[in-house]
Amino acid sequence: MTDIKPARILVADDHTLMREGLRRIIEGAPDMLVAAEATNGQEVIAHVRKGELDLVLLDLSMPGKSGVPLIKQIKEEFPKLPVLVLTMHQEDQYAVRSIQAGASGYLTKESAGTELLNAIRRVAGGRLFISPEVAEQLAMNAMPGSNKELSHKALSDREFEVFRMMVEGISVTDIAEQLNLSAKTVSTHKARILQKMNMQSLAQLVRYAVEHGIAGERSASED
């Protein structure tokens, strides 16, 4: 009988308890193992460049480069390395942007306990793991003129990331720290977001985000 080589997985998440929980789930399966762990984008790139991985299990929100820009860098340098996004964000827009950037799957942390191993096996096997809702949104985005229907679709990936953090009530200073950017750069992104979305204030952005399911109902204050 031929031994099956387990899939070597990089678990990238900046929360220790989450990484420990994922390790327990993964290493309970005979066909996969946690080969490395990372807590930020720099560590992710350092590990994938060693060329000893079969899959990256990636949290969207980590210090430094993260989210869609990090997915793009991984796929640019290692186009054949599958990326499975594991995130707390349930909104389809995050999933759509992740898949368009090159991720092969999108899984929320809420459903990780029951779906994680199946998702890993599908993605590691060269298939996609996405919900029917995300598949529908991807199809709709491919239709002519679709990107003009909702103003947030005009945002770049970095602008969308800043937009999402702003409407969740995170200050410019804290956004800059989390994304490893200067406050001036974040403020520039903020101005471009308002301009592209034809809005005048953060309060308008928050209302828009709530109406379109990009953020939950919460208060936000200008920085």
Side-chain angles (χ1 to χ4, degrees):
M1 180 176 178
T2 303
D3 291 333
I4 299 175
K5 185 179 180 181
R8 299 161 298 179
I9 300 165
L10 167 63
V11 175
D13 195 296
D14 60 326
H15 294 94
T16 301
L17 289 178
M18 177 58 67
R19 291 197 311 277
E20 291 177 351
L22 293 173
R23 177 182 284 275
R24 284 196 294 271
I25 295 173
I26 292 169
E27 297 196 336
D31 56 340
M32 58 188 75
L33 61 85
V34 176
E37 297 182 13
T39 61
N40 57 55
Q42 185 176 359
E43 291 179 0
V44 170
I45 296 301
H47 282 300
V48 298
R49 284 176 176 169
K50 294 178 181 178
E52 301 174 351
L53 299 170
D54 298 305
L55 182 142
V56 177
L57 183 60
L58 184 68
D59 180 25
L60 275 185
S61 303
M62 295 187 297
K65 176 176 277 191
S66 64
V68 170
L70 181 56
I71 296 171
K72 286 184 174 180
Q73 183 174 353
I74 294 170
K75 299 306 291 186
E76 285 171 1
E77 295 191 26
F78 302 91
K80 294 183 179 181
L81 179 61
V83 176
L84 172 60
V85 171
L86 179 64
T87 179
M88 65 180 181
H89 301 300
Q90 298 186 23
E91 295 85 355
D92 292 346
Q93 184 57 217
Y94 294 101
V96 169
R97 286 181 179 255
S98 297
I99 298 299
Q100 289 175 334
S104 298
Y106 188 96
L107 179 67
T108 63
K109 291 181 178 179
E110 187 176 273
S111 58
T114 57
E115 296 284 354
L116 180 62
L117 297 182
N118 178 40
I120 289 175
R121 290 187 180 108
R122 285 185 63 87
V123 172
R127 294 177 292 172
L128 291 176
F129 183 90
I130 55 176
S131 69
E133 293 78 14
V134 172
E136 180 180 4
Q137 188 62 51
L138 284 167
M140 290 178 63
N141 283 356
M143 296 176 66
S146 62
N147 287 335
K148 298 179 182 178
E149 294 175 4
L150 297 174
S151 56
H152 71 268
K153 291 185 178 181
L155 302 178
S156 69
D157 293 324
R158 176 60 88 187
E159 288 166 349
F160 181 76
E161 189 172 24
V162 172
F163 166 60
R164 184 263 304 171
M165 298 175 79
M166 286 169 50
V167 299
E168 289 183 354
I170 303 175
S171 69
V172 167
T173 302
D174 288 340
I175 292 172
E177 182 177 351
Q178 292 182 37
L179 298 182
N180 197 26
L181 301 172
S182 69
K184 182 178 180 180
T185 298
V186 175
S187 294
T188 298
H189 283 311
K190 179 180 178 180
R192 289 176 179 169
I193 291 165
L194 288 167
Q195 181 181 27
K196 285 185 176 182
M197 297 183 67
N198 194 27
M199 295 185 184
Q200 307 300 318
S201 68
L202 179 56
Q204 287 182 307
L205 292 177
V206 172
R207 285 196 294 272
Y208 177 96
V210 171
E211 289 172 2
H212 293 86
I214 297 171
E217 192 86 50
R218 67 177 70 195
S219 62
S221 60
E222 300 267 6
D223 190 296

